[in-house]
Amino acid sequence: MYYARTMGVNTPAAIVFGRWFDKRGLSALIVVAIIAAFLAPLVFWCGAAALLGMILWGIGMGGQESIMRAAVAGMVTPDRRGSAYGIFNASFGLAWFAGSAILGILYDYSTAALVAFSVIVQMAAIPVLSYLQKEQAS
C-alpha cells in the first residue's frame, strides 16, 4: 500500500516540478534534492512517519525523472544530444548501481550509516546543481 501511494504522488510531482523547471530552471531540481534528503530519516527512523517518507520518495522520483533528462537537452547543442544522453544514462546507471550497493551494505551494517549516507549524497548534489544553474544563466 505504501508503494502504491508513493507511485500515486510520482506523476503529479513530475508535472509540478516539470513546469517549475520550465519556468525557473535547475532551482526545481535543487528543491527536489532537499525534499528527497528527508525521506531516509523518515522511512528508517520514524515508524509512524514512514508513509510520509515514502511520499517524499515519490515526490523526489517524479521531480528527478521529469527534470534531469530535460536539463541535459538544455546543456548541449542539438547535434551533441545523442552523445550527451548516452553519457548521462551510462553515468546515471553506474551511480545508481554504486549507490544501491553502498546502501545495501550499509543496511546490513547500520541504519544510521545508511540514513547519513543518503542525506549526505542528496545534500552534496545541491552545490553542484547551484553551480550548473549559475552557468546556464550566464
Side-chain angles (χ1 to χ4, degrees):
M1 291 306 296
Y2 280 20
Y3 186 76
R5 289 184 180 137
T6 298
M7 294 300 103
V9 298
N10 183 303
T11 300
I15 293 168
V16 168
F17 282 104
R19 287 184 178 161
W20 187 349
F21 173 76
D22 289 342
K23 293 178 182 175
R24 300 286 193 172
L26 287 174
S27 66
L29 197 52
I30 293 169
V31 172
V32 169
I34 293 168
I35 290 170
F38 290 100
L39 76 91
L42 289 170
V43 168
F44 288 99
W45 290 343
C46 303
L51 177 58
L52 177 59
M54 294 294 290
I55 289 169
L56 293 180
W57 179 44
I59 292 169
M61 283 180 33
Q64 290 173 354
E65 290 171 350
S66 67
I67 295 172
M68 290 191 303
R69 286 166 184 81
V72 171
M75 292 180 189
V76 296
T77 60
D79 63 315
R80 308 289 285 171
R81 284 190 186 144
S83 298
Y85 279 117
I87 293 166
F88 168 78
N89 286 317
S91 301
F92 185 82
L94 290 171
W96 187 300
F97 174 76
S100 296
I102 292 167
L103 289 172
I105 292 166
L106 291 174
Y107 187 73
D108 285 341
Y109 172 71
S110 161
T111 55
L114 177 147
V115 169
F117 176 77
S118 179
V119 171
I120 290 167
V121 169
Q122 284 290 337
M123 298 307 274
I126 294 170
V128 174
L129 294 168
S130 295
Y131 171 78
L132 290 172
Q133 184 180 17
K134 288 176 186 167
E135 285 294 311
Q136 280 187 331
S138 57

